[in-house]
């Protein structure tokens, strides 16, 4: 679904799945920028979370920490994408199926994937 949405927004989705045994979920390009997107499908029964606020807070904190570690890992291997695609700029995102609340603009809820339409542009 993420690949389809990116193509609809004018991205060129590459066929990159692996480089040097390192896996990538979705790698796309647009305007000379590489977009490295990790797709996370963390699902939970929303009725349980709605019933217990503390459970939601704990789960949300767990996901935001997990996503922060995933982004750090991706930044540490962005040189592989630069070398493979011959471009200098890489931006990293996590697209989460489960809505998370956090301050990191690189973590996007799937229902807000259209935000990527303006990502990587000057001033965006």
């Amino acid at each position: 679904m993420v690949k389809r949405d990116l193509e609809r927004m004018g991205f060129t989705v590459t066929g990159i799945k692996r480089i040097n045994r390192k896996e990538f979920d979705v790698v796309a390009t647009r305007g000379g920028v590489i977009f490295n997107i990790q797709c996370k499908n963390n699902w939970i029964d929303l009725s349980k979370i709605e019933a217990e606020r503390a459970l939601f807070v704990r789960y949300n904190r767990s996901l935001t920490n997990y996503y922060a570690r995933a982004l750090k890992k991706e930044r540490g291997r962005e040189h592989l994408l630069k070398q493979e695609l011959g471009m200098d700029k890489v931006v990293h995102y996590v697209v989460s199926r489960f809505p998370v609340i956090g301050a990191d603009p690189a973590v996007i809820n799937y229902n807000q994937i259209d935000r990527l339409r303006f990502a990587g542009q000057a001033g965006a």
Side-chain angles (χ1 to χ4, degrees):
M1 290 186 333
V2 171
K3 287 179 183 179
R4 178 203 65 211
D5 291 344
L6 290 174
E7 287 174 340
R8 180 180 48 84
M9 289 186 275
F11 290 81
T12 300
V13 176
T14 72
I16 294 174
K17 297 276 186 201
R18 242 179 232 95
I19 303 172
N20 294 343
R21 298 187 191 144
K22 308 288 188 218
E23 289 192 25
F24 297 91
D25 289 347
V26 177
V27 178
T29 62
R30 188 183 67 193
V33 178
I34 301 167
F35 291 78
N36 179 21
I37 301 175
Q38 290 294 303
C39 302
K40 303 298 183 189
N41 191 17
N42 300 77
W43 183 85
I44 191 166
D45 184 349
L46 292 177
S47 64
K48 287 182 181 180
I49 288 193
E50 289 171 356
E52 280 191 63
R53 183 175 165 155
L55 179 61
F56 170 77
V57 170
R58 191 167 47 249
Y59 189 64
N60 189 76
R61 186 179 316 119
S62 172
L63 287 180
T64 56
N65 290 336
Y66 171 53
Y67 296 163
R69 288 189 307 272
L71 287 165
K72 182 179 179 180
K73 179 183 89 170
E74 294 306 314
R75 289 181 188 114
R77 61 189 196 162
E78 72 180 33
H79 64 282
L80 296 170
L81 293 170
K82 288 178 178 180
Q83 185 177 17
E84 182 76 15
L85 294 169
M87 297 178 187
D88 291 332
K89 185 172 182 186
V90 181
V91 291
H92 305 277
Y93 290 94
V94 168
V95 173
S96 172
R97 180 174 177 220
F98 180 81
V100 294
I101 299 169
D104 191 338
V107 177
I108 297 175
N109 298 326
Y110 176 72
N111 63 358
Q112 297 176 332
I113 197 166
D114 282 346
R115 285 178 36 203
L116 289 175
R117 182 181 313 276
F118 306 105
Q121 297 176 3

